[in-house]
PDB file of all heavy atoms in Angstrom:
ATOM      1  N   ALA A 236      11.170  12.565 -34.182  1.00 48.00           N
ATOM      2  CA  ALA A 236       9.906  12.932 -33.548  1.00 48.00           C
ATOM      3  C   ALA A 236       8.762  12.019 -33.969  1.00 48.00           C
ATOM      4  O   ALA A 236       7.974  11.571 -33.146  1.00 48.00           O
ATOM      5  CB  ALA A 236       9.573  14.375 -33.901  1.00 48.00           C
ATOM      6  N   SER A 237       8.670  11.696 -35.265  1.00 48.00           N
ATOM      7  CA  SER A 237       7.530  10.887 -35.688  1.00 48.00           C
ATOM      8  C   SER A 237       7.670   9.460 -35.193  1.00 48.00           C
ATOM      9  O   SER A 237       6.687   8.850 -34.738  1.00 48.00           O
ATOM     10  CB  SER A 237       7.385  10.909 -37.213  1.00 48.00           C
ATOM     11  OG  SER A 237       8.605  10.505 -37.782  1.00 48.00           O
ATOM     12  N   ALA A 238       8.932   8.911 -35.235  1.00 48.00           N
ATOM     13  CA  ALA A 238       9.140   7.544 -34.735  1.00 48.00           C
ATOM     14  C   ALA A 238       8.802   7.495 -33.250  1.00 48.00           C
ATOM     15  O   ALA A 238       8.172   6.552 -32.764  1.00 48.00           O
ATOM     16  CB  ALA A 238      10.583   7.118 -34.949  1.00 48.00           C
ATOM     17  N   ALA A 239       9.219   8.547 -32.526  1.00 47.00           N
ATOM     18  CA  ALA A 239       8.934   8.590 -31.086  1.00 47.00           C
ATOM     19  C   ALA A 239       7.431   8.613 -30.856  1.00 47.00           C
ATOM     20  O   ALA A 239       6.915   7.924 -29.977  1.00 47.00           O
ATOM     21  CB  ALA A 239       9.575   9.823 -30.460  1.00 47.00           C
ATOM     22  N   ALA A 240       6.737   9.391 -31.653  1.00 49.00           N
ATOM     23  CA  ALA A 240       5.288   9.507 -31.470  1.00 49.00           C
ATOM     24  C   ALA A 240       4.597   8.157 -31.673  1.00 49.00           C
ATOM     25  O   ALA A 240       3.720   7.772 -30.900  1.00 49.00           O
ATOM     26  CB  ALA A 240       4.718  10.538 -32.441  1.00 49.00           C
ATOM     27  N   ILE A 241       5.050   7.432 -32.746  1.00 46.00           N
ATOM     28  CA  ILE A 241       4.432   6.121 -33.016  1.00 46.00           C
ATOM     29  C   ILE A 241       4.726   5.173 -31.863  1.00 46.00           C
ATOM     30  O   ILE A 241       3.831   4.520 -31.319  1.00 46.00           O
ATOM     31  CB  ILE A 241       4.961   5.545 -34.355  1.00 46.00           C
ATOM     32  CG1 ILE A 241       4.439   6.399 -35.506  1.00 46.00           C
ATOM     33  CG2 ILE A 241       4.535   4.080 -34.517  1.00 46.00           C
ATOM     34  CD1 ILE A 241       5.153   6.147 -36.816  1.00 46.00           C
ATOM     35  N   THR A 242       6.018   5.130 -31.448  1.00 46.00           N
ATOM     36  CA  THR A 242       6.402   4.218 -30.367  1.00 46.00           C
ATOM     37  C   THR A 242       5.642   4.553 -29.091  1.00 46.00           C
ATOM     38  O   THR A 242       5.116   3.690 -28.404  1.00 46.00           O
ATOM     39  CB  THR A 242       7.910   4.317 -30.098  1.00 46.00           C
ATOM     40  OG1 THR A 242       8.585   4.309 -31.345  1.00 46.00           O
ATOM     41  CG2 THR A 242       8.392   3.163 -29.238  1.00 46.00           C
ATOM     42  N   CYS A 243       5.592   5.872 -28.801  1.00 46.00           N
ATOM     43  CA  CYS A 243       4.916   6.298 -27.569  1.00 46.00           C
ATOM     44  C   CYS A 243       3.439   5.927 -27.629  1.00 46.00           C
ATOM     45  O   CYS A 243       2.857   5.501 -26.623  1.00 46.00           O
ATOM     46  CB  CYS A 243       5.058   7.797 -27.354  1.00 46.00           C
ATOM     47  SG  CYS A 243       6.761   8.268 -27.021  1.00 46.00           S
ATOM     48  N   GLY A 244       2.863   6.072 -28.820  1.00 48.00           N
ATOM     49  CA  GLY A 244       1.440   5.730 -28.954  1.00 48.00           C
ATOM     50  C   GLY A 244       1.183   4.276 -28.645  1.00 48.00           C
ATOM     51  O   GLY A 244       0.211   3.930 -27.964  1.00 48.00           O
ATOM     52  N   VAL A 245       2.079   3.401 -29.148  1.00 46.00           N
ATOM     53  CA  VAL A 245       1.928   1.963 -28.891  1.00 46.00           C
ATOM     54  C   VAL A 245       2.002   1.704 -27.391  1.00 46.00           C
ATOM     55  O   VAL A 245       1.188   0.988 -26.816  1.00 46.00           O
ATOM     56  CB  VAL A 245       3.026   1.166 -29.630  1.00 46.00           C
ATOM     57  CG1 VAL A 245       3.038  -0.288 -29.170  1.00 46.00           C
ATOM     58  CG2 VAL A 245       2.812   1.263 -31.129  1.00 46.00           C
ATOM     59  N   ILE A 246       3.004   2.338 -26.752  1.00 47.00           N
ATOM     60  CA  ILE A 246       3.190   2.101 -25.313  1.00 47.00           C
ATOM     61  C   ILE A 246       1.997   2.626 -24.522  1.00 47.00           C
ATOM     62  O   ILE A 246       1.510   1.971 -23.592  1.00 47.00           O
ATOM     63  CB  ILE A 246       4.495   2.769 -24.818  1.00 47.00           C
ATOM     64  CG1 ILE A 246       5.697   2.177 -25.544  1.00 47.00           C
ATOM     65  CG2 ILE A 246       4.651   2.602 -23.315  1.00 47.00           C
ATOM     66  CD1 ILE A 246       5.946   0.719 -25.318  1.00 47.00           C
ATOM     67  N   VAL A 247       1.531   3.825 -24.897  1.00 48.00           N
ATOM     68  CA  VAL A 247       0.386   4.392 -24.168  1.00 48.00           C
ATOM     69  C   VAL A 247      -0.810   3.437 -24.265  1.00 48.00           C
ATOM     70  O   VAL A 247      -1.510   3.197 -23.277  1.00 48.00           O
ATOM     71  CB  VAL A 247       0.025   5.791 -24.714  1.00 48.00           C
ATOM     72  CG1 VAL A 247      -1.354   6.215 -24.241  1.00 48.00           C
ATOM     73  CG2 VAL A 247       1.064   6.798 -24.239  1.00 48.00           C
ATOM     74  N   ASN A 248      -0.992   2.858 -25.461  1.00 48.00           N
ATOM     75  CA  ASN A 248      -2.108   1.923 -25.601  1.00 48.00           C
ATOM     76  C   ASN A 248      -1.916   0.697 -24.737  1.00 48.00           C
ATOM     77  O   ASN A 248      -2.867   0.168 -24.164  1.00 48.00           O
ATOM     78  CB  ASN A 248      -2.295   1.522 -27.065  1.00 48.00           C
ATOM     79  CG  ASN A 248      -2.984   2.643 -27.817  1.00 48.00           C
ATOM     80  OD1 ASN A 248      -3.741   3.397 -27.223  1.00 48.00           O
ATOM     81  ND2 ASN A 248      -2.713   2.763 -29.106  1.00 48.00           N
ATOM     82  N   LEU A 249      -0.648   0.250 -24.633  1.00 48.00           N
ATOM     83  CA  LEU A 249      -0.360  -0.899 -23.750  1.00 48.00           C
ATOM     84  C   LEU A 249      -0.707  -0.546 -22.314  1.00 48.00           C
ATOM     85  O   LEU A 249      -1.318  -1.315 -21.588  1.00 48.00           O
ATOM     86  CB  LEU A 249       1.133  -1.270 -23.839  1.00 48.00           C
ATOM     87  CG  LEU A 249       1.538  -2.149 -25.008  1.00 48.00           C
ATOM     88  CD1 LEU A 249       3.062  -2.205 -25.086  1.00 48.00           C
ATOM     89  CD2 LEU A 249       0.975  -3.541 -24.842  1.00 48.00           C
ATOM     90  N   VAL A 250      -0.275   0.675 -21.905  1.00 48.00           N
ATOM     91  CA  VAL A 250      -0.548   1.118 -20.535  1.00 48.00           C
ATOM     92  C   VAL A 250      -2.048   1.169 -20.304  1.00 48.00           C
ATOM     93  O   VAL A 250      -2.569   0.707 -19.293  1.00 48.00           O
ATOM     94  CB  VAL A 250       0.094   2.498 -20.278  1.00 48.00           C
ATOM     95  CG1 VAL A 250      -0.359   3.063 -18.940  1.00 48.00           C
ATOM     96  CG2 VAL A 250       1.604   2.390 -20.312  1.00 48.00           C
ATOM     97  N   ARG A 251      -2.773   1.727 -21.294  1.00 49.00           N
ATOM     98  CA  ARG A 251      -4.214   1.842 -21.133  1.00 49.00           C
ATOM     99  C   ARG A 251      -4.874   0.467 -21.084  1.00 49.00           C
ATOM    100  O   ARG A 251      -5.836   0.239 -20.372  1.00 49.00           O
ATOM    101  CB  ARG A 251      -4.798   2.670 -22.269  1.00 49.00           C
ATOM    102  CG  ARG A 251      -4.497   4.136 -22.037  1.00 49.00           C
ATOM    103  CD  ARG A 251      -5.016   5.002 -23.157  1.00 49.00           C
ATOM    104  NE  ARG A 251      -4.756   6.390 -22.863  1.00 49.00           N
ATOM    105  CZ  ARG A 251      -4.654   7.328 -23.776  1.00 49.00           C
ATOM    106  NH1 ARG A 251      -4.781   7.029 -25.044  1.00 49.00           N
ATOM    107  NH2 ARG A 251      -4.418   8.565 -23.426  1.00 49.00           N
ATOM    108  N   GLY A 252      -4.294  -0.457 -21.889  1.00 48.00           N
ATOM    109  CA  GLY A 252      -4.815  -1.828 -21.869  1.00 48.00           C
ATOM    110  C   GLY A 252      -4.672  -2.428 -20.489  1.00 48.00           C
ATOM    111  O   GLY A 252      -5.554  -3.127 -19.998  1.00 48.00           O
ATOM    112  N   ASN A 253      -3.543  -2.094 -19.846  1.00 50.00           N
ATOM    113  CA  ASN A 253      -3.313  -2.601 -18.490  1.00 50.00           C
ATOM    114  C   ASN A 253      -4.344  -2.087 -17.526  1.00 50.00           C
ATOM    115  O   ASN A 253      -4.661  -2.718 -16.536  1.00 50.00           O
ATOM    116  CB  ASN A 253      -1.942  -2.138 -17.991  1.00 50.00           C
ATOM    117  CG  ASN A 253      -0.879  -3.096 -18.424  1.00 50.00           C
ATOM    118  OD1 ASN A 253      -1.140  -4.266 -18.533  1.00 50.00           O
ATOM    119  ND2 ASN A 253       0.293  -2.570 -18.681  1.00 50.00           N
ATOM    120  N   TYR A 254      -4.830  -0.868 -17.775  1.00 50.00           N
ATOM    121  CA  TYR A 254      -5.794  -0.242 -16.868  1.00 50.00           C
ATOM    122  C   TYR A 254      -6.956  -1.197 -16.632  1.00 50.00           C
ATOM    123  O   TYR A 254      -7.272  -1.535 -15.496  1.00 50.00           O
ATOM    124  CB  TYR A 254      -6.304   1.051 -17.498  1.00 50.00           C
ATOM    125  CG  TYR A 254      -7.245   1.824 -16.624  1.00 50.00           C
ATOM    126  CD1 TYR A 254      -6.792   2.918 -15.908  1.00 50.00           C
ATOM    127  CD2 TYR A 254      -8.580   1.469 -16.498  1.00 50.00           C
ATOM    128  CE1 TYR A 254      -7.640   3.635 -15.095  1.00 50.00           C
ATOM    129  CE2 TYR A 254      -9.434   2.179 -15.681  1.00 50.00           C
ATOM    130  CZ  TYR A 254      -8.962   3.263 -14.997  1.00 50.00           C
ATOM    131  OH  TYR A 254      -9.806   3.963 -14.186  1.00 50.00           O
ATOM    132  N   ALA A 255      -7.564  -1.642 -17.727  1.00 50.00           N
ATOM    133  CA  ALA A 255      -8.742  -2.501 -17.584  1.00 50.00           C
ATOM    134  C   ALA A 255      -8.374  -3.836 -16.955  1.00 50.00           C
ATOM    135  O   ALA A 255      -9.034  -4.306 -16.027  1.00 50.00           O
ATOM    136  CB  ALA A 255      -9.373  -2.711 -18.957  1.00 50.00           C
ATOM    137  N   ASN A 256      -7.255  -4.435 -17.443  1.00 52.00           N
ATOM    138  CA  ASN A 256      -6.896  -5.768 -16.948  1.00 52.00           C
ATOM    139  C   ASN A 256      -6.543  -5.752 -15.475  1.00 52.00           C
ATOM    140  O   ASN A 256      -7.007  -6.579 -14.711  1.00 52.00           O
ATOM    141  CB  ASN A 256      -5.704  -6.311 -17.737  1.00 52.00           C
ATOM    142  CG  ASN A 256      -6.124  -6.639 -19.152  1.00 52.00           C
ATOM    143  OD1 ASN A 256      -7.309  -6.826 -19.397  1.00 52.00           O
ATOM    144  ND2 ASN A 256      -5.185  -6.675 -20.065  1.00 52.00           N
ATOM    145  N   ARG A 257      -5.713  -4.778 -15.068  1.00 55.00           N
ATOM    146  CA  ARG A 257      -5.275  -4.769 -13.675  1.00 55.00           C
ATOM    147  C   ARG A 257      -6.418  -4.391 -12.757  1.00 55.00           C
ATOM    148  O   ARG A 257      -6.556  -4.926 -11.663  1.00 55.00           O
ATOM    149  CB  ARG A 257      -4.069  -3.836 -13.489  1.00 55.00           C
ATOM    150  CG  ARG A 257      -2.829  -4.423 -14.096  1.00 55.00           C
ATOM    151  CD  ARG A 257      -1.668  -3.490 -13.993  1.00 55.00           C
ATOM    152  NE  ARG A 257      -1.146  -3.351 -12.646  1.00 55.00           N
ATOM    153  CZ  ARG A 257      -0.231  -4.148 -12.111  1.00 55.00           C
ATOM    154  NH1 ARG A 257       0.224  -5.180 -12.780  1.00 55.00           N
ATOM    155  NH2 ARG A 257       0.227  -3.927 -10.900  1.00 55.00           N
TER     156      ARG A 257
END
Side-chain angles (χ1 to χ4, degrees):
S237 55
I241 292 166
T242 315
C243 293
V245 170
I246 299 297
V247 165
N248 283 331
L249 277 170
V250 171
R251 284 178 178 156
N253 273 328
Y254 183 100
N256 290 339
R257 288 177 72 87

